[in-house]
Amino acid sequence: MRRDDDPFIPWWHNRCTYKQGPSLSSSSTTINMDNKGVGLASRAGGGDINNNNTAVDEEMAPLNINTAEKMTTYSSFRSLWSAKNASLFSLVLQQSGLVLMIRYSRTIGVGADLIPYIPSVVVVSAEVLKFVLNWTLEIVKQPDGATDSTEILKSMVTMESLKLLVPALLYLTQNNLLFVALKNLSVPVYQVLNQGKLFTTAFFSRLLLDKKISYCQYFSLMMLATGVVIVQQSANKDHQNDSSTTNEGNPMVGFLAVLVSCFTSGFATVYFEKVLKQKTTAQKQLSVYVRNMQLAFWSILFGAVPIIMSDDWEKVQKDGLFQGYTWVVFTIIVFQAITGLLVGFVMKYADAVLKGFATSVAVVLATILSIVIFHDNVNMLFLVGSALVILAVRTYTNNPPVVSGGEAKSDAK
């Protein structure tokens, strides 16, 4: 017979034995419940462990009737935590790879015997791929026969879809400006200047979502703006000191492209977050995949206009729509298509400002890789400005904004 005080038997062995409820003999074992918890009663040869045994009840106390509910709540929280962090982590890696590939394709990846690709066509191609990817994910997500492709296509031209006209146009503008900026700026400078999105996102979050910003956060935003200005000055200084650098472009043109991109991105991101968190007038809530399809649908229509109305149409007629497409260009298209999908996940499981912080983490990774690949110079002004930006991001992250009046304000139509 096993004794509880036997030194050769671990203390947790008895605990596990009681919890698993093994039979003490060949007889059956029944489970009795009272207001103390769960007890075991065995009808084996007079061996009685009833629910009056306080020690057993204390051992079995964790296995009360609320355990299943607690485990379900914990599993749901863990699933949400994992989904949020996985989407943010993937966004960081994707953003770093995207800017490096575009910089490569616009500078050292351009050969004398290679026809350059048309950036506007690449942007539209990425939107087409994003539309297909989200359509596929929407079909896979639903049970067999539950997804009607006709209904999905009809949802592209509903009143709910019209709400995404503005962010679709702004995202399209931002994606086109990305090619202009990376043609005229190095990857480290672009990555730091691009953190101005945090400032515009915080501003529009306060305006549209009524998110409070503390004094500490205001200070961090001022620090962020100061760091961005210092980095811009470092880019101008490098350009003046080394005007013979090939493929360097015009830093001022790149700075203006980033500046406009920050405002379009900040407003579009917050507006898209508000639409995602609103209750639709439809009978069932639209999924993030359908929302991304709606964004891509309008972006394709808007993106086709500059291709037809600009000089790009002459290039298309001469060398074809997909001229200059290489494995680098195809990689850029895939990265951009995934960007739209990841942004949708981040907006669903996190928020707009947190998405901006995840993007800012890519500064360090992209800077290190650009020094190795493109031999970019990093001077003291850039290091000081980058340190201020990273410190500002850290300060803002430690003080998350709070929505005034709960979620009711965000859900208001």
Side-chain angles (χ1 to χ4, degrees):
M1 181 176 179
R2 186 181 67 247
R3 297 179 306 162
D4 291 344
D5 58 347
D6 193 336
F8 297 100
I9 299 178
W11 65 269
W12 48 262
H13 190 276
N14 291 330
R15 180 187 296 267
C16 296
T17 302
Y18 285 128
K19 288 183 178 180
Q20 293 174 359
S23 59
L24 301 178
S25 70
S26 59
S27 302
S28 61
T29 301
T30 60
I31 300 177
N32 297 330
M33 300 178 61
D34 60 7
N35 55 3
K36 289 184 179 180
V38 180
L40 296 180
S42 175
R43 296 189 299 270
D48 183 24
I49 305 177
N50 53 42
N51 51 9
N52 293 323
N53 191 328
T54 306
V56 175
D57 287 334
E58 290 178 354
E59 290 289 342
M60 299 301 298
L63 295 181
N64 53 31
I65 195 64
N66 295 324
T67 300
E69 297 179 0
K70 292 180 179 179
M71 293 181 65
T72 302
T73 304
Y74 173 76
S75 299
S76 301
F77 173 78
R78 183 178 180 181
S79 177
L80 178 61
W81 185 92
S82 300
K84 181 177 72 173
N85 286 274
S87 62
L88 294 174
F89 181 74
S90 300
L91 186 62
V92 169
L93 297 181
Q94 182 274 335
Q95 288 288 336
S96 300
L98 177 62
V99 295
L100 290 170
M101 297 300 289
I102 293 180
R103 177 64 176 173
Y104 176 83
S105 67
R106 301 292 279 174
T107 54
I108 63 178
V110 179
D113 56 343
L114 180 64
I115 301 176
Y117 63 87
I118 304 174
S120 58
V121 175
V122 172
V123 172
V124 174
S125 299
E127 295 299 325
V128 173
L129 180 58
K130 182 172 71 174
F131 186 91
V132 174
L133 286 176
N134 283 275
W135 193 352
T136 302
L137 291 173
E138 174 66 17
I139 294 175
V140 172
K141 179 178 71 74
Q142 300 293 339
D144 294 340
T147 302
D148 190 349
S149 298
T150 304
E151 293 298 326
I152 294 177
L153 292 177
K154 288 181 180 179
S155 67
M156 298 299 107
V157 289
T158 60
M159 293 301 297
E160 292 294 331
S161 178
L162 291 176
K163 295 180 181 179
L164 299 180
L165 278 174
V166 173
L169 180 60
L170 294 178
Y171 277 132
L172 182 70
T173 303
Q174 172 194 346
N175 291 334
N176 280 279
L177 290 174
L178 177 61
F179 290 88
V180 177
L182 286 171
K183 183 179 180 180
N184 294 278
L185 295 173
S186 64
V187 171
V189 172
Y190 168 80
Q191 286 286 73
V192 176
L193 294 179
N194 197 43
Q195 302 317 299
K197 292 179 181 180
L198 299 179
F199 187 93
T200 57
T201 302
F203 171 77
F204 288 116
S205 295
R206 182 71 179 93
L207 185 65
L208 298 180
L209 300 179
D210 198 18
K211 290 186 176 181
K212 293 182 179 180
I213 300 178
S214 64
Y215 291 109
C216 186
Q217 290 175 318
Y218 279 119
F219 176 76
S220 66
L221 292 176
M222 294 175 59
M223 189 187 308
L224 173 66
T226 303
V228 168
V229 172
I230 293 176
V231 171
Q232 169 59 19
Q233 293 299 318
S234 71
N236 291 333
K237 183 177 180 180
D238 283 343
H239 183 70
Q240 294 174 357
N241 294 339
D242 191 10
S243 59
S244 62
T245 302
T246 58
N247 297 321
E248 188 62 28
N250 190 337
M252 184 54 63
V253 174
F255 174 74
L256 292 176
V258 174
L259 181 63
V260 177
S261 176
C262 287
F263 278 95
T264 58
S265 175
F267 181 81
T269 302
V270 176
Y271 187 89
F272 187 42
E273 177 188 356
K274 186 175 183 179
V275 171
L276 278 179
K277 293 181 178 180
Q278 281 180 340
K279 294 181 179 179
T280 64
T281 57
Q283 292 183 353
K284 70 175 184 177
Q285 190 77 10
L286 296 177
S287 67
V288 66
Y289 305 120
V290 176
R291 288 299 192 184
N292 274 333
M293 289 175 63
Q294 293 173 343
L295 270 178
F297 173 77
W298 294 114
S299 296
I300 293 170
L301 295 182
F302 286 137
V305 175
I307 296 176
I308 299 175
M309 302 299 294
S310 65
D311 296 337
D312 292 341
W313 185 246
E314 296 180 1
K315 299 177 183 178
V316 170
Q317 291 179 323
K318 181 180 179 181
D319 298 311
L321 188 64
F322 304 106
Q323 57 182 281
Y325 271 41
T326 61
W327 69 270
V328 175
V329 179
F330 280 110
T331 305
I332 293 173
I333 293 173
V334 173
F335 278 178
Q336 281 199 319
I338 296 176
T339 301
L341 187 61
L342 290 178
V343 167
F345 278 113
V346 172
M347 292 300 99
K348 182 176 179 64
Y349 295 108
D351 56 33
V353 179
L354 191 56
K355 175 255 181 184
F357 289 138
T359 305
S360 66
V361 176
V363 172
V364 177
L365 180 60
T367 299
I368 295 175
L369 293 178
S370 65
I371 293 174
V372 175
I373 299 174
F374 307 111
H375 306 289
D376 291 330
N377 296 323
V378 177
N379 55 29
M380 184 57 64
L381 277 178
F382 175 83
L383 294 177
V384 173
S386 299
L388 286 176
V389 170
I390 294 175
L391 181 60
V393 170
R394 178 68 177 175
T395 304
Y396 202 107
T397 306
N398 291 336
N399 298 273
V402 179
V403 179
S404 300
E407 294 295 334
K409 187 69 176 179
S410 298
D411 293 339
K413 293 182 181 180

